[in-house]
């Protein structure tokens, strides 16, 4: 029987293309990432990613930072963050081999590069955002602001009170003392013995995190003492100015202020915070993003450990101005950002559209009351004025863009794998939030 197949021979020798670039499509994402990073490098905008040069020029050659940056940026763009997965793809995937020019940095090199430059990825975000502005993608006419609570590399079960932390620290120290005594018996008090056992190395790392957690609780208690001292100082000053003592109980002295016994800190990531989400509680960070309503470009971003968003409106407006050279014409935010103090941030430069109640309550109010009529009552305060503005046809049309702008951006983050931060600590969370924000804008620019 005769078959008509294309020839199939795994041992067949063939001529490879002269350049691996020949295997990459002109309009592919990997080529766009490579060209963008090269452009920023040629413009001198990636200097923070370069190490300090050695004066003698000696030492083992290291991998080029531009190459490592391309690998990370492309990986985050397609939802691959694990350094081990990136290591494997550098062997198997033609796009990664193209970006690395067939070099093979191992997962430890990639991981160390990301950790060493945790504070530099915000700079990368700003440089890519500048390219977006040059392309006309972020005019800051209208922006929407929101926060997303992201699980950190820590578990809720790892939260401990100060007493529990003290007990665990003592257990580790007692166990280390027992191991030292056993090794003295085995090797003699003057001999070092073999390499430090694995269990002791793990204990050292845990002991460090426990002490960091305890320091955080101590700092929180000290902050409360300082706040109380300031309240007493202000009270005393007001009494001196008025010449009369204030009524009520005498304030508690600062030295008597203590944390409640049930106050906890996380022993895996002491800088993380317990945050409430729609799906329950997470141990992580609050990621803030301000998004251009027209293009869905992220115009500024930040990480905070604050459990709510009300304190983030003013700093995010300031960050927007620092990053873009101007504030938005109009800023939209949900009820999490509402306060009378925040209403006072509105000025001739930026008009605010901030909900005063949850969206479902606001929609119910719109159905029941409809658009406002007549003159604005003189008795209206900041809250009534904002509610009235949001009920107008113009207010409804503008505020409607909020959920259509920033929430889809967070959804796209999730689709690319941001359901949990991989790097511990606030700096690690900032690095990954900046990388996701930078690659989000890069994908918009490419498309």
């Amino acid at each position: 029987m005769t078959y008509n197949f294309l020839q199939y021979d795994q041992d067949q020798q063939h001529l490879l293309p002269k350049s691996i670039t020949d295997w990459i499509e002109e309009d592919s994402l990997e080529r766009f990432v490579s060209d963008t990073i090269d452009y920023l490098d040629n413009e001198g905008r990636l200097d923070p990613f370069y190490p300090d040069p050695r004066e003698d020029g000696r030492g083992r050659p290291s991998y080029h930072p531009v190459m490592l940056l391309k690998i990370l940026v492309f990986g985050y763009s397609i939802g691959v963050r694990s350094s081990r997965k990136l290591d494997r793809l550098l062997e198997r995937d033609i796009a990664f081999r193209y970006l690395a020019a067939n070099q093979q940095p191992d997962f430890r090199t990639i991981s160390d590069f990301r950790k060493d430059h945790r504070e530099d990825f915000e700079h990368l975000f700003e440089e890519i955002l500048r390219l977006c502005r040059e392309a006309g993608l972020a005019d800051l006419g209208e922006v929407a602001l929101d926060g997303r609570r992201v699980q950190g590399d820590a578990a809720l079960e790892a939260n401990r009170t100060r007493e529990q932390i003290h007990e665990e620290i003592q257990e580790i120290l007692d166990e280390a003392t027992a191991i030292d005594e056993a090794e003295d018996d085995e090797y003699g008090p003057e001999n070092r013995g073999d390499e430090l056992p694995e269990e002791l190395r793990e204990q050292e790392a845990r002991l460090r995190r426990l002490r960091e957690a305890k320091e955080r609780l101590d700092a929180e208690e000290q902050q409360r003492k300082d706040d109380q001292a300031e309240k007493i100082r202000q009270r005393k000053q007001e009494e001196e100015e008025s010449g009369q003592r204030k009524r009520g109980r005498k304030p508690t002295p600062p030295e008597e202020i203590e944390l409640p016994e049930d106050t906890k800190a996380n022993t895996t990531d002491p800088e993380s915070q317990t945050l409430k989400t729609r799906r329950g509680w997470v141990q992580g960070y609050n990621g803030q993003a301000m998004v251009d309503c027209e293009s869905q470009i992220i115009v500024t971003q930040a990480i905070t450990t604050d459990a709510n968003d009300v304190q983030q409106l003013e700093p995010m407006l300031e960050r927007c101005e620092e990053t873009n050279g101007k504030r938005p014409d109009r800023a939209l935010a949900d009820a999490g950002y509402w306060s009378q103090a925040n209403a006072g941030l509105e000025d001739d430069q930026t008009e605010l559209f901030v909900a005063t109640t949850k969206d479902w309550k606001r929609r119910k109010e719109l159905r029941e009351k409809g658009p406002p009529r007549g003159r604005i009552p003189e008795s209206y305060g900041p809250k009534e004025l904002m509610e009235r503005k949001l009920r107008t046809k113009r207010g409804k049309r503008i505020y409607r863009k909020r959920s259509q702008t920033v929430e889809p951006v967070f959804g796209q983050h999730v689709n690319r794998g941001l359901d949990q931060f991989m790097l511990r600590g606030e700096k690690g969370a900032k690095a990954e939030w900046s990388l996701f924000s930078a690659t989000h804008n890069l994908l918009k620019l490419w498309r």
Side-chain angles (χ1 to χ4, degrees), residues 165-392:
I165 292 172
H166 177 75
E167 291 175 355
E168 289 194 35
I169 289 176
Q170 195 58 48
E171 286 178 7
I172 291 176
L173 294 177
D174 291 344
E175 187 174 348
T177 300
I179 292 175
D180 286 342
E181 291 174 353
E183 288 182 344
D184 285 345
D185 293 338
E186 183 176 356
Y187 302 114
E190 303 299 328
N191 298 322
R192 181 176 68 86
D194 294 329
E195 186 181 5
L196 189 66
E198 179 67 27
E199 61 269 19
L200 275 187
R201 291 200 297 273
E202 293 176 355
Q203 283 183 349
E204 283 187 351
R206 178 158 181 77
L207 184 60
R208 173 180 53 78
R209 294 196 298 270
L210 285 168
R211 284 172 170 159
E212 288 176 358
K214 184 176 181 299
E215 288 171 2
R216 178 183 170 182
L217 291 175
D218 291 342
E220 186 175 342
E221 183 176 86
Q222 185 59 48
Q223 184 62 50
R224 294 193 180 197
K225 292 179 184 292
D226 294 342
D227 292 344
Q228 184 69 4
E230 178 61 20
K231 288 180 181 178
I232 293 175
R233 187 195 66 77
Q234 291 180 358
R235 178 188 175 99
K236 184 177 180 180
Q237 182 179 349
E238 291 172 1
E239 288 178 341
E240 290 175 352
E241 291 175 354
S242 65
Q244 296 180 350
R245 293 188 59 184
K246 286 197 168 186
R247 301 176 62 181
R249 286 196 311 178
K250 188 177 180 180
T252 305
E255 58 271 15
E256 296 181 15
I257 297 293
E258 295 181 350
L259 283 179
E261 291 184 0
D262 59 350
T263 305
K264 297 181 179 181
N266 194 272
T267 57
T268 303
D269 182 355
E271 295 182 4
S272 63
Q273 183 62 272
T274 303
L275 305 171
K276 188 176 183 180
T277 71
R278 294 176 181 176
R279 299 183 179 181
W281 295 87
V282 299
Q283 187 70 33
Y285 296 88
N286 183 353
Q288 296 284 311
M290 184 176 284
V291 183
D292 184 84
C293 290
E294 184 68 25
S295 61
Q296 284 194 345
I297 293 293
I298 300 174
V299 296
T300 194
Q301 47 85 30
I303 281 288
T304 178
T305 55
D306 288 352
N308 56 56
D309 296 326
V310 70
Q311 300 297 329
Q312 304 309 314
L313 180 58
E314 184 173 14
M316 287 298 286
L317 287 171
E318 291 175 352
R319 287 177 68 92
C320 179
E321 186 171 15
E322 291 172 4
T323 304
N324 300 275
K326 60 171 289 189
R327 292 195 179 193
D329 298 333
R330 291 168 291 280
L332 292 52
D334 64 18
Y337 294 87
W338 169 256
S339 71
Q340 291 207 15
N342 283 347
L345 298 174
E346 182 171 287
D347 53 25
D348 293 339
Q349 187 175 1
T350 301
E351 184 180 8
L352 297 180
F353 294 80
V354 184
T356 60
T357 58
K358 293 183 178 180
D359 280 355
W360 69 270
K361 291 182 178 179
R362 197 184 67 82
R363 288 192 294 268
K364 180 181 178 183
E365 182 183 21
L366 290 175
R367 289 194 300 268
E368 293 176 351
K369 295 184 178 181
R373 298 179 181 276
R375 293 183 178 181
I376 301 175
E378 294 182 0
S379 61
Y380 272 16
K383 185 175 182 179
E384 290 81 9
L385 289 172
M386 182 63 71
E387 289 173 344
R388 188 183 191 281
K389 178 164 66 172
L390 294 178
R391 283 170 47 209
T392 64

Side-chain angles (χ1 to χ4, degrees), residues 154-167:
L156 286 169
E157 293 77 15
N159 285 309
R160 301 285 188 274
T161 65
R162 187 154 47 179
E163 183 179 352
Q164 291 171 329
I165 292 172
H166 177 75
E167 291 175 355

